[in-house]
Amino acid sequence: MTNSLIIKKVLSQALLEICPQKPFHKISIANLTNACGLKRQTFYYHFTDKYDLLRWTFKYDALQYLTGDIHLEN
């Protein structure tokens, strides 16, 4: 697993942990980076904004289910 993927997963996990506590529109980049101990620059190196992180999170989570043993029957 690449370092970039690890950081993206950490930021994604921070988003998933914060969302139940705070509405998405009120979540700041500072909230996300503080939750996982990263710097703002690190966030912006990997994502353009929190919507980009949200898109990546949905795509990555969807791929986790699609790479399993999925057939037309199941």
Side-chain angles (χ1 to χ4, degrees):
M1 188 176 315
T2 66
N3 197 29
S4 179
L5 182 58
I6 292 168
I7 292 171
K8 287 180 177 182
K9 288 174 71 173
V10 165
L11 287 164
S12 176
Q13 186 62 40
L15 176 64
L16 294 174
E17 290 173 5
I18 294 171
C19 276
Q21 305 163 9
K22 198 175 213 181
F24 182 76
H25 72 276
K26 292 194 176 203
I27 296 173
S28 67
I29 302 305
N31 295 142
L32 295 166
T33 55
N34 289 340
C36 54
L38 296 173
K39 296 182 181 183
R40 284 178 69 86
Q41 297 90 334
T42 303
F43 177 89
Y44 286 113
Y45 180 79
H46 297 283
F47 299 104
T48 56
D49 56 21
K50 66 182 182 179
Y51 298 96
D52 189 24
L53 170 59
L54 183 62
R55 272 189 299 277
W56 186 88
T57 300
F58 281 127
K59 286 180 185 176
Y60 184 81
D61 282 349
L63 285 175
Q64 297 304 311
Y65 294 107
L66 294 176
T67 58
D69 188 28
I70 294 180
H71 303 268
L72 289 175
E73 294 81 26
N74 65 5

PDB file of all heavy atoms in Angstrom, residues 3-17 32-33 35-38 47 53 56:
ATOM      1  N   ASN A   3       2.117   5.185   0.402  1.00  0.00           N
ATOM      2  CA  ASN A   3       1.975   6.204   1.436  1.00  0.00           C
ATOM      3  C   ASN A   3       0.792   7.119   1.137  1.00  0.00           C
ATOM      4  O   ASN A   3       0.049   7.502   2.035  1.00  0.00           O
ATOM      5  CB  ASN A   3       3.275   7.006   1.553  1.00  0.00           C
ATOM      6  CG  ASN A   3       3.355   7.767   2.842  1.00  0.00           C
ATOM      7  OD1 ASN A   3       2.788   7.355   3.849  1.00  0.00           O
ATOM      8  ND2 ASN A   3       4.070   8.869   2.821  1.00  0.00           N
ATOM      9  N   SER A   4       0.601   7.451  -0.138  1.00  0.00           N
ATOM     10  CA  SER A   4      -0.510   8.311  -0.545  1.00  0.00           C
ATOM     11  C   SER A   4      -1.856   7.667  -0.211  1.00  0.00           C
ATOM     12  O   SER A   4      -2.765   8.334   0.305  1.00  0.00           O
ATOM     13  CB  SER A   4      -0.417   8.600  -2.046  1.00  0.00           C
ATOM     14  OG  SER A   4      -1.483   9.401  -2.460  1.00  0.00           O
ATOM     15  N   LEU A   5      -1.982   6.392  -0.482  1.00  0.00           N
ATOM     16  CA  LEU A   5      -3.225   5.685  -0.184  1.00  0.00           C
ATOM     17  C   LEU A   5      -3.474   5.619   1.326  1.00  0.00           C
ATOM     18  O   LEU A   5      -4.604   5.780   1.775  1.00  0.00           O
ATOM     19  CB  LEU A   5      -3.206   4.276  -0.783  1.00  0.00           C
ATOM     20  CG  LEU A   5      -4.464   3.441  -0.574  1.00  0.00           C
ATOM     21  CD1 LEU A   5      -5.695   4.141  -1.151  1.00  0.00           C
ATOM     22  CD2 LEU A   5      -4.294   2.070  -1.204  1.00  0.00           C
ATOM     23  N   ILE A   6      -2.431   5.427   2.078  1.00  0.00           N
ATOM     24  CA  ILE A   6      -2.566   5.390   3.540  1.00  0.00           C
ATOM     25  C   ILE A   6      -3.087   6.728   4.054  1.00  0.00           C
ATOM     26  O   ILE A   6      -4.010   6.768   4.874  1.00  0.00           O
ATOM     27  CB  ILE A   6      -1.221   5.026   4.205  1.00  0.00           C
ATOM     28  CG1 ILE A   6      -0.854   3.572   3.886  1.00  0.00           C
ATOM     29  CG2 ILE A   6      -1.277   5.257   5.714  1.00  0.00           C
ATOM     30  CD1 ILE A   6       0.559   3.190   4.251  1.00  0.00           C
ATOM     31  N   ILE A   7      -2.515   7.818   3.576  1.00  0.00           N
ATOM     32  CA  ILE A   7      -2.948   9.147   4.028  1.00  0.00           C
ATOM     33  C   ILE A   7      -4.390   9.405   3.610  1.00  0.00           C
ATOM     34  O   ILE A   7      -5.186   9.933   4.396  1.00  0.00           O
ATOM     35  CB  ILE A   7      -1.994  10.236   3.506  1.00  0.00           C
ATOM     36  CG1 ILE A   7      -0.636  10.087   4.195  1.00  0.00           C
ATOM     37  CG2 ILE A   7      -2.569  11.631   3.728  1.00  0.00           C
ATOM     38  CD1 ILE A   7       0.462  10.943   3.638  1.00  0.00           C
ATOM     39  N   LYS A   8      -4.750   9.019   2.396  1.00  0.00           N
ATOM     40  CA  LYS A   8      -6.134   9.197   1.947  1.00  0.00           C
ATOM     41  C   LYS A   8      -7.094   8.409   2.823  1.00  0.00           C
ATOM     42  O   LYS A   8      -8.166   8.894   3.185  1.00  0.00           O
ATOM     43  CB  LYS A   8      -6.275   8.778   0.489  1.00  0.00           C
ATOM     44  CG  LYS A   8      -5.661   9.765  -0.476  1.00  0.00           C
ATOM     45  CD  LYS A   8      -5.817   9.304  -1.908  1.00  0.00           C
ATOM     46  CE  LYS A   8      -5.254  10.331  -2.858  1.00  0.00           C
ATOM     47  NZ  LYS A   8      -5.421   9.939  -4.258  1.00  0.00           N
ATOM     48  N   LYS A   9      -6.725   7.196   3.180  1.00  0.00           N
ATOM     49  CA  LYS A   9      -7.578   6.371   4.041  1.00  0.00           C
ATOM     50  C   LYS A   9      -7.707   6.974   5.440  1.00  0.00           C
ATOM     51  O   LYS A   9      -8.784   6.945   6.031  1.00  0.00           O
ATOM     52  CB  LYS A   9      -7.031   4.943   4.114  1.00  0.00           C
ATOM     53  CG  LYS A   9      -7.238   4.174   2.818  1.00  0.00           C
ATOM     54  CD  LYS A   9      -6.574   2.825   2.841  1.00  0.00           C
ATOM     55  CE  LYS A   9      -7.288   1.884   3.768  1.00  0.00           C
ATOM     56  NZ  LYS A   9      -6.754   0.507   3.691  1.00  0.00           N
ATOM     57  N   VAL A  10      -6.636   7.544   5.954  1.00  0.00           N
ATOM     58  CA  VAL A  10      -6.665   8.177   7.276  1.00  0.00           C
ATOM     59  C   VAL A  10      -7.601   9.386   7.255  1.00  0.00           C
ATOM     60  O   VAL A  10      -8.419   9.572   8.162  1.00  0.00           O
ATOM     61  CB  VAL A  10      -5.237   8.576   7.719  1.00  0.00           C
ATOM     62  CG1 VAL A  10      -5.258   9.531   8.890  1.00  0.00           C
ATOM     63  CG2 VAL A  10      -4.419   7.342   8.046  1.00  0.00           C
ATOM     64  N   LEU A  11      -7.497  10.208   6.220  1.00  0.00           N
ATOM     65  CA  LEU A  11      -8.381  11.366   6.098  1.00  0.00           C
ATOM     66  C   LEU A  11      -9.830  10.931   5.902  1.00  0.00           C
ATOM     67  O   LEU A  11     -10.745  11.523   6.473  1.00  0.00           O
ATOM     68  CB  LEU A  11      -7.922  12.264   4.952  1.00  0.00           C
ATOM     69  CG  LEU A  11      -6.651  13.068   5.230  1.00  0.00           C
ATOM     70  CD1 LEU A  11      -6.064  13.611   3.933  1.00  0.00           C
ATOM     71  CD2 LEU A  11      -6.946  14.200   6.206  1.00  0.00           C
ATOM     72  N   SER A  12     -10.031   9.902   5.132  1.00  0.00           N
ATOM     73  CA  SER A  12     -11.373   9.376   4.908  1.00  0.00           C
ATOM     74  C   SER A  12     -11.974   8.866   6.218  1.00  0.00           C
ATOM     75  O   SER A  12     -13.143   9.133   6.517  1.00  0.00           O
ATOM     76  CB  SER A  12     -11.307   8.245   3.882  1.00  0.00           C
ATOM     77  OG  SER A  12     -12.561   7.647   3.710  1.00  0.00           O
ATOM     78  N   GLN A  13     -11.178   8.164   6.991  1.00  0.00           N
ATOM     79  CA  GLN A  13     -11.649   7.661   8.282  1.00  0.00           C
ATOM     80  C   GLN A  13     -11.991   8.809   9.227  1.00  0.00           C
ATOM     81  O   GLN A  13     -12.986   8.757   9.939  1.00  0.00           O
ATOM     82  CB  GLN A  13     -10.592   6.741   8.914  1.00  0.00           C
ATOM     83  CG  GLN A  13     -11.069   6.074  10.173  1.00  0.00           C
ATOM     84  CD  GLN A  13     -12.269   5.164   9.937  1.00  0.00           C
ATOM     85  OE1 GLN A  13     -12.347   4.455   8.944  1.00  0.00           O
ATOM     86  NE2 GLN A  13     -13.224   5.199  10.836  1.00  0.00           N
ATOM     87  N   ALA A  14     -11.193   9.860   9.207  1.00  0.00           N
ATOM     88  CA  ALA A  14     -11.482  11.035  10.028  1.00  0.00           C
ATOM     89  C   ALA A  14     -12.821  11.648   9.627  1.00  0.00           C
ATOM     90  O   ALA A  14     -13.633  12.008  10.487  1.00  0.00           O
ATOM     91  CB  ALA A  14     -10.358  12.065   9.892  1.00  0.00           C
ATOM     92  N   LEU A  15     -13.061  11.726   8.339  1.00  0.00           N
ATOM     93  CA  LEU A  15     -14.344  12.256   7.852  1.00  0.00           C
ATOM     94  C   LEU A  15     -15.504  11.394   8.348  1.00  0.00           C
ATOM     95  O   LEU A  15     -16.512  11.907   8.839  1.00  0.00           O
ATOM     96  CB  LEU A  15     -14.348  12.330   6.326  1.00  0.00           C
ATOM     97  CG  LEU A  15     -15.644  12.781   5.675  1.00  0.00           C
ATOM     98  CD1 LEU A  15     -15.981  14.219   6.074  1.00  0.00           C
ATOM     99  CD2 LEU A  15     -15.558  12.653   4.169  1.00  0.00           C
ATOM    100  N   LEU A  16     -15.351  10.086   8.243  1.00  0.00           N
ATOM    101  CA  LEU A  16     -16.413   9.180   8.677  1.00  0.00           C
ATOM    102  C   LEU A  16     -16.660   9.251  10.181  1.00  0.00           C
ATOM    103  O   LEU A  16     -17.792   9.051  10.639  1.00  0.00           O
ATOM    104  CB  LEU A  16     -16.076   7.743   8.261  1.00  0.00           C
ATOM    105  CG  LEU A  16     -16.060   7.487   6.754  1.00  0.00           C
ATOM    106  CD1 LEU A  16     -15.570   6.077   6.457  1.00  0.00           C
ATOM    107  CD2 LEU A  16     -17.427   7.720   6.143  1.00  0.00           C
ATOM    108  N   GLU A  17     -15.634   9.548  10.938  1.00  0.00           N
ATOM    109  CA  GLU A  17     -15.797   9.670  12.392  1.00  0.00           C
ATOM    110  C   GLU A  17     -16.431  10.999  12.793  1.00  0.00           C
ATOM    111  O   GLU A  17     -17.153  11.066  13.781  1.00  0.00           O
ATOM    112  CB  GLU A  17     -14.438   9.506  13.076  1.00  0.00           C
ATOM    113  CG  GLU A  17     -13.909   8.088  13.009  1.00  0.00           C
ATOM    114  CD  GLU A  17     -12.497   7.953  13.531  1.00  0.00           C
ATOM    115  OE1 GLU A  17     -11.923   8.946  14.047  1.00  0.00           O
ATOM    116  OE2 GLU A  17     -11.948   6.846  13.416  1.00  0.00           O
ATOM    117  N   LEU A  32     -10.746  18.015  10.100  1.00  0.00           N
ATOM    118  CA  LEU A  32     -10.261  16.750   9.545  1.00  0.00           C
ATOM    119  C   LEU A  32      -8.793  16.508   9.866  1.00  0.00           C
ATOM    120  O   LEU A  32      -8.416  15.418  10.302  1.00  0.00           O
ATOM    121  CB  LEU A  32     -10.470  16.729   8.031  1.00  0.00           C
ATOM    122  CG  LEU A  32     -11.924  16.754   7.564  1.00  0.00           C
ATOM    123  CD1 LEU A  32     -12.009  17.077   6.085  1.00  0.00           C
ATOM    124  CD2 LEU A  32     -12.597  15.433   7.870  1.00  0.00           C
ATOM    125  N   THR A  33      -7.970  17.525   9.652  1.00  0.00           N
ATOM    126  CA  THR A  33      -6.534  17.343   9.873  1.00  0.00           C
ATOM    127  C   THR A  33      -6.207  17.218  11.361  1.00  0.00           C
ATOM    128  O   THR A  33      -5.330  16.442  11.731  1.00  0.00           O
ATOM    129  CB  THR A  33      -5.727  18.474   9.225  1.00  0.00           C
ATOM    130  OG1 THR A  33      -6.192  19.736   9.707  1.00  0.00           O
ATOM    131  CG2 THR A  33      -5.831  18.423   7.710  1.00  0.00           C
ATOM    132  N   ALA A  35      -8.130  15.861  13.584  1.00  0.00           N
ATOM    133  CA  ALA A  35      -8.601  14.542  14.003  1.00  0.00           C
ATOM    134  C   ALA A  35      -7.577  13.443  13.738  1.00  0.00           C
ATOM    135  O   ALA A  35      -7.538  12.436  14.447  1.00  0.00           O
ATOM    136  CB  ALA A  35      -9.918  14.204  13.310  1.00  0.00           C
ATOM    137  N   CYS A  36      -6.747  13.646  12.731  1.00  0.00           N
ATOM    138  CA  CYS A  36      -5.776  12.591  12.416  1.00  0.00           C
ATOM    139  C   CYS A  36      -4.324  13.053  12.538  1.00  0.00           C
ATOM    140  O   CYS A  36      -3.414  12.319  12.162  1.00  0.00           O
ATOM    141  CB  CYS A  36      -6.065  12.002  11.038  1.00  0.00           C
ATOM    142  SG  CYS A  36      -6.165  13.168   9.705  1.00  0.00           S
ATOM    143  N   GLY A  37      -4.109  14.266  13.044  1.00  0.00           N
ATOM    144  CA  GLY A  37      -2.752  14.726  13.311  1.00  0.00           C
ATOM    145  C   GLY A  37      -1.940  15.071  12.079  1.00  0.00           C
ATOM    146  O   GLY A  37      -0.715  14.969  12.099  1.00  0.00           O
ATOM    147  N   LEU A  38      -2.609  15.481  11.017  1.00  0.00           N
ATOM    148  CA  LEU A  38      -1.912  15.874   9.799  1.00  0.00           C
ATOM    149  C   LEU A  38      -1.958  17.392   9.631  1.00  0.00           C
ATOM    150  O   LEU A  38      -2.751  18.071  10.268  1.00  0.00           O
ATOM    151  CB  LEU A  38      -2.549  15.207   8.577  1.00  0.00           C
ATOM    152  CG  LEU A  38      -2.457  13.691   8.523  1.00  0.00           C
ATOM    153  CD1 LEU A  38      -3.276  13.148   7.359  1.00  0.00           C
ATOM    154  CD2 LEU A  38      -1.019  13.235   8.411  1.00  0.00           C
ATOM    155  N   PHE A  47      -6.126  16.127  -1.778  1.00  0.00           N
ATOM    156  CA  PHE A  47      -7.498  16.469  -2.149  1.00  0.00           C
ATOM    157  C   PHE A  47      -7.616  17.970  -2.391  1.00  0.00           C
ATOM    158  O   PHE A  47      -6.915  18.757  -1.759  1.00  0.00           O
ATOM    159  CB  PHE A  47      -8.482  16.060  -1.038  1.00  0.00           C
ATOM    160  CG  PHE A  47      -8.493  14.591  -0.764  1.00  0.00           C
ATOM    161  CD1 PHE A  47      -7.858  14.066   0.355  1.00  0.00           C
ATOM    162  CD2 PHE A  47      -9.130  13.710  -1.635  1.00  0.00           C
ATOM    163  CE1 PHE A  47      -7.859  12.707   0.607  1.00  0.00           C
ATOM    164  CE2 PHE A  47      -9.130  12.350  -1.392  1.00  0.00           C
ATOM    165  CZ  PHE A  47      -8.494  11.845  -0.272  1.00  0.00           C
ATOM    166  N   LEU A  53     -12.628  14.838  -1.036  1.00  0.00           N
ATOM    167  CA  LEU A  53     -12.430  13.757  -0.059  1.00  0.00           C
ATOM    168  C   LEU A  53     -13.689  12.901   0.056  1.00  0.00           C
ATOM    169  O   LEU A  53     -13.612  11.672   0.086  1.00  0.00           O
ATOM    170  CB  LEU A  53     -12.060  14.327   1.308  1.00  0.00           C
ATOM    171  CG  LEU A  53     -12.044  13.349   2.488  1.00  0.00           C
ATOM    172  CD1 LEU A  53     -11.068  12.208   2.263  1.00  0.00           C
ATOM    173  CD2 LEU A  53     -11.728  14.089   3.777  1.00  0.00           C
ATOM    174  N   TRP A  56     -13.959  10.676  -2.989  1.00  0.00           N
ATOM    175  CA  TRP A  56     -12.977   9.589  -2.907  1.00  0.00           C
ATOM    176  C   TRP A  56     -13.449   8.533  -1.909  1.00  0.00           C
ATOM    177  O   TRP A  56     -13.324   7.338  -2.162  1.00  0.00           O
ATOM    178  CB  TRP A  56     -11.605  10.138  -2.493  1.00  0.00           C
ATOM    179  CG  TRP A  56     -10.547   9.087  -2.537  1.00  0.00           C
ATOM    180  CD1 TRP A  56      -9.773   8.731  -3.605  1.00  0.00           C
ATOM    181  CD2 TRP A  56     -10.171   8.204  -1.463  1.00  0.00           C
ATOM    182  NE1 TRP A  56      -8.937   7.702  -3.260  1.00  0.00           N
ATOM    183  CE2 TRP A  56      -9.155   7.359  -1.954  1.00  0.00           C
ATOM    184  CE3 TRP A  56     -10.591   8.062  -0.153  1.00  0.00           C
ATOM    185  CZ2 TRP A  56      -8.558   6.379  -1.171  1.00  0.00           C
ATOM    186  CZ3 TRP A  56      -9.993   7.082   0.637  1.00  0.00           C
ATOM    187  CH2 TRP A  56      -8.983   6.252   0.126  1.00  0.00           C
TER     188      TRP A  56
END
